[in-house]
Amino acid sequence: MNGQIGVYICECGPNIKDRIDIDKVIEDISSLGDVKTVKRFPLLCSNDGKKFLEEEIKKEDLSHLVVAACSPREHEKTFMDVCEQADFNPYLFQLINIREHCAWMISDKNEATAKAIKYIRAGIRRVALHRPLEKKEIESIPDVLVIGGGVSGLEASLSLAGKDRRVYLVEKTGSLGGMAKKLSQLLPNQGSNLSLIDEKVEQVHNNENILVSTSSTVGDVRGFLGNFEIVIHTDGETSGFRKAQVGAIVVATGFDVFDPEENSQYGYGIDNVFTAQEFEEQIKSGNVLLKSGKPPESVAIIHCVGRKERGYCSKVCCCYSIKFAHYLKDNLSNVNVSELYVDLCLPHKSDQEYFEEAKKKGVHFVRSEEEINVNQKGDQIEVEYHSEGKTDSIVVDMVVLAPAMIPSGDTPELAHLLNIPLDKSGFFKEIHEVLDPISTPIEGIYIAGCATGPKNIPESIVQSQAASGKILSSLIPGEKIVPEVKVSEIREEFCTGCQTCLSVCFYGAIRFDSFKGISVVNEAICRGCGSCVGSCPSGAIRSKHFTYPQLYREILEALR
């Protein structure tokens, strides 16, 4: 191996060249016995720089490669691609960050140069122990399982289904459409009527590439991106189960609503106290009536029901409560409408105009500083609230409660089945709320719509399209997939069979071989996080490309 390591230093324009004495670095590194060549280049990540590096790898016949440049996060893949272009195993390469860690951190040029030399030496010592790793291609299945037949599930199914991709749509109720089908009308920024939902349901039923299973649940899921085995259980007249294979899963299980009976202060159970869902049904029927059969002359709409108990705002309740007020004012002559809220949430620009229009129609908006209490008062209902430091009340004929959106009832069970986490509110937890709101830690399983938290219909549709886009770009019919290469491996001779690794493996990539009495890593599922490596009491597990000797050599040299 002596004399076969190539070291290439990027000037990065003035970023490294002006802050580090590169000539001094070259002089020092050239004296090392394992180093065959040390060269500099103005900008290695440029097209000219990549071409130069590729030609150098071939010309110098290198065994290992070290590039001293910028952050691996920024250009490690760039240089690994160059290695592959040169028919050089990319895992025999090491990128050393002398820009962020030296040039940009240390103002003194001599100190920055000395630090860069240490880091490059450390990289050379480490890379000498690198072994070539080979990528393995595996067959993948382009079909997709969509769990949930609401707006998000419908959108995902229609976006994904095609000539070469079948979608298994599983809905636990007897029909498609979810909560949206129960609405009387959509909000102004969501469309003029509910034909949007009906059209999507019809399109799904008419699509021969979408297999719909209503009154059904997912009973079992095993596998990984490109190769999941699923079992679908169906109840009713066609009860039984179906096995299928899919490459990805979209979880679009929607939401349930807070039960106001959990807190007696809301008065649910008193005559003429309705939930928003019950009031939607009245609007749909065209008959907003009291239990006596008469139309109400006064209505109180109470926001934020269950918000304190759940610990979050449901985002959409204020807007649909204003929708109720518009309906009452437009359809019942001389009705007095009051809206009582703790905090008013109007997230979109058009919502403010909608709110102002309601006020112009005579809707009274009252902010309560504390809890709102609902009690029977003769044939009517008294709503007590706290405003401007004093307690006040109104007496009305009807009360409409706007309950919080909560996770679907089977969310914990499904999270356990799929091995994906929940957030502190009980919804499915995304990788990152802003940067990656539809991915889970399990590659190939995506979440969309209100399964991740309260959303309106347009937001749910956009999330479903984003999840579909991820799948369409990663599972291309006829193409194989390449799993992670830098995975964990278990040395059988050292494994004691304690199974500690099984309990810490978040991806479910490790199983216990009872015949041999050892743990075994499924490399197609492993993501190389290293949790099992750190937890193994016998030291039987190591991470490829991050072995103890490699890390020890690197750290020892850096600390000299």
Side-chain angles (χ1 to χ4, degrees), residues 277-293:
Q277 288 69 34
E278 292 167 343
F279 192 66
E280 291 274 11
E281 291 174 7
Q282 288 193 357
I283 296 175
K284 265 187 132 175
S285 68
N287 294 308
V288 175
L289 302 172
L290 302 170
K291 292 292 177 68
S292 64

Side-chain angles (χ1 to χ4, degrees), residues 301-322:
I301 302 171
I302 300 177
H303 300 219
C304 308
V305 173
R307 173 173 177 166
K308 182 179 179 182
E309 291 85 345
R310 299 301 302 182
Y312 56 82
C313 171
S314 292
K315 191 177 180 179
V316 300
C317 315
C318 289
C319 288
Y320 74 63
S321 295
I322 296 172

Side-chain angles (χ1 to χ4, degrees), residues 257-271:
V257 292
F258 176 79
D259 184 357
E261 284 189 327
E262 290 185 24
N263 194 325
S264 60
Q265 76 178 71
Y266 301 119
Y268 189 63
I270 297 174
D271 282 352

Side-chain angles (χ1 to χ4, degrees), residues 65 126 139 161 175 183 236 250 277 346 350 360 447 485 553:
L65 172 69
R126 176 198 166 109
E139 300 288 346
S175 61
L183 300 178
V250 178
Q277 288 69 34
L346 303 172
S350 58
K360 288 178 183 177
I447 46 181
V485 176
R553 282 282 190 92

Side-chain angles (χ1 to χ4, degrees), residues 16 25 66 74 88 125 135 138 159 168 238 273 329 335 369 390 394 399-400 465 478 482:
I16 294 175
V25 173
V66 172
E74 199 165 337
F88 183 84
R125 293 290 176 254
K135 295 180 179 180
I138 59 176
S159 299
Y168 297 88
T238 58
V273 176
K329 281 294 188 180
V335 66
E369 295 156 356
K390 62 180 182 179
I394 56 173
V399 168
V400 179
Q465 292 171 342
V482 180

